[in-house]
Structure formats: structure tokens, C-alpha cells
Amino acid sequence: MIVHHVTLHRLRLPLATPFRRASGTEQHREVLLVEAVGEEFFGWGECVAEAEPTYSPEYVESSAHVIEKFLLPRLGTQKVRATDLASRFSRIKGHAMAKAGIEAAMLDAECRKFGESFAQRLGATRDRVPAGVAVGMQPTVGELVDAVGAYVAEGYQRVKLKIEPGNDVAPVAAVREAFPTLALQVDANGSYTVADAAHLAQLDAFDLLLIEQPLGDDDFLGHAELARHLRTPICLDESITSRRTAELALTLGSCRVINIKAGRVGGFMEAVRIHDLCVSRNVPVWCGGMLETGIGRAGNLALAALPGFTLTGDLSASSRYFHRDVTEAFTLDNGFLRVPSGVGIGVVPIAERLAEFRTSSRTIRTG
């Protein structure tokens, strides 16, 4: 297919619940949507880069720049398929989220042209997936327990708690005491070192599904060493940037579980390759989230419906993040989220909301 032009939509959506980061508390989510248009097709993708380079080196401004100046010119004026993009973009180092945003829009467009759903294209085997929720650190342990209780009451089947040094064992113990049968895991976002092994081993008492990314992104050897001290399985998130790094982590024994985020690994095609690798190794995977709008959430639900996603991911209802989403809301149905079954990703932005939340847009002709 020939892409005639791409429009980059910059949006700013108020968050339903403020999101705490090391740099401060965010009240809004900065969003970059990619709209690809051809003669008889269109597609939408979401670049999941954040406003600041705190989760990864990418951020919204840099992604928009890289897409316009370096990636779109490589689409050319001839027919191109989504599966061609990895090779076309290979000379541009890094910028996985920017690449993933274009790939998602191209995949959506191809699916729409051929009348298939995103889920069918990726190889999904289910029409719904269990809903999980990530709960940030709260001012007090009591408030954390209350927050978890509210999500359990809504029907969420798994809860992930954020932890960091000085805010780990006590809050996890309190949540486990309050909810003894809850599927529970923790996420450290790389805030510990191998020297904390004995301390982290205290978490083994709470029957956790896993501990996510305890050490730094590039510390594969450290994670392998830490794994020898813990009964709780280690899961890697930020460390997994490709099928190759996933294979490295599994070969070294750095983890027993992998969190797959399509944006972090360069797109849904690479995410499927990591899924297939893990299935071949009998390694469970789950789908992580990046505070996506309904555009990104629709793709994530299709990915999470693949057979190897045996653990509940960070896939929540739209209301967990936004009072109003840019698409029709995804809602809980007895603890599950429905996988869109329409053509493409199954959703499009609502024009009025796109206009309301948009802070800028730029249309770039390709070739």
C-alpha cells in the first residue's frame, strides 16, 4: 500500500487519577497519535512515549521529530507493507516507540483494507482478556489498602503494587493481609541493587506472582544473580527491548517471566516474535500498559489475546486513566475486557474529542 500522508496529532488528556513520578505528579497525559492515510485506506496508531525521558530515552517531542524527519521519508512513494518497516527503519538507531507508532497505524490500515481485525492479524485466540490494574504508592498504608479494595470491588482480577526502597515490605504485607487470595505482584522500576537481595527476599513470604524489574535496565547479570536469592519469579520490563534481549535474558537466567509492551520493543510484529520465543521456552508473558488512549489500548487487547499471554496484564478500563477517552470507552465486564472484533483495531477517535484534546497537529506527505 502507498501512504500519501501521515498526520501527527498531539493531545493532552486530563488523568482520572494523578500519576506519581520521581520528577513530580502528572495531572495530564501527553499523547502522540499517528494517522496514516492512503487512497482507499486509513489507520491509527499511538506512540506511547511520555512527556519526559524517564521510562525510556524517548519522549513525545523527540518521537514526533524522529517520525517526521527520519522515519516517514523512508516510506517512499511505492507500495510498502507493515512487515517491511523494520528493515526500512533499521538504519535509524533506537526510537522504538516512534517506529511502533507508525507500524501500528500501517497495520490498522492494512487490516481495514482486507476486512480483518487486528486480533486476527496478530493471531489472537480469545475474545476477552482478564483485567489487571497497577496501583501507585499512596501517602499511607491504609490509603493503599483502601485503593486496592476499591479496584477489587470493581472486578479487577490482579493488582500490581509499585514499590521502592523504604516503601516495600510493610505495604505489601498489609495488602496481602487484607486480601489473602488476591493475585498480587510488585513493580520496582529498577530502584534496587543486587545488594538489596536479602531485603527483597522478605517479599517471598507474600505469595507474589512476580517482582517486576527490580534492577536497572541493562543489568542482566545482576538480575541473574538476584534470581538465585529469591523464590519470587523475576519479571523483566524495561530490559526487554527486542526478541534478542529477551533471548539474552532467558539464556542468562535473568528472569522467569517477561512483560511485553509493543511500544517498548518497536511494534506489534516484534512483540509477537517475543511472544513466540517465550512460548517455545514455556515462559509466561503478560501485556504491560503505558497509559494509552483507546487507540493504543485496542491494540494491546488484541496482543494480550494471543495464547502465550497466560498472566493478567496491566489492561484496565478506560475510566482507570481518563474521565473521557479519545475513543469510545473500554469497560469491565465481570473482570474482563472485550477484544475489539471490528476491522482494524476496531476503534477510531471520536472527532469532537480529538478536536477537544488536540494541542497541535502536523500533516507530512511521504516520499
Side-chain angles (χ1 to χ4, degrees), residues 152 176 236:
V152 171
R176 175 51 81 207
L236 291 184

Side-chain angles (χ1 to χ4, degrees), residues 149-205:
Y151 288 121
V152 171
E154 286 185 52
Y156 284 100
Q157 299 190 36
R158 186 231 68 192
V159 170
K160 179 172 81 174
L161 304 178
K162 295 286 187 175
I163 62 171
E164 65 184 8
N167 195 342
D168 42 33
V169 176
V172 174
V175 171
R176 175 51 81 207
E177 182 178 6
F179 306 98
T181 62
L182 176 65
L184 187 65
Q185 62 193 57
V186 296
D187 182 8
N189 288 118
S191 57
Y192 295 88
T193 70
V194 175
D196 297 308
H199 180 75
L200 289 172
Q202 295 180 62
L203 296 173
D204 288 340

Side-chain angles (χ1 to χ4, degrees), residues 326-349:
V326 72
T327 68
E328 292 292 343
F330 287 92
T331 58
L332 286 183
D333 180 8
N334 292 318
F336 289 84
L337 291 171
R338 294 283 177 182
V339 177
S341 59
V343 294
I345 58 174
V347 298
V348 294

Side-chain angles (χ1 to χ4, degrees), residues 220 224 234 236 240 243-258 274-285:
F220 291 95
I234 289 176
L236 291 184
I240 306 301
R243 183 192 185 281
R244 195 162 121 185
T245 53
E247 186 169 21
L248 173 65
L250 296 177
T251 300
L252 292 176
S254 304
C255 64
R256 286 193 277 157
V257 182
I258 284 179
I274 296 171
H275 162 273
D276 294 347
L277 167 69
C278 291
V279 168
S280 72
R281 301 280 190 96
N282 294 314
V283 173
V285 298

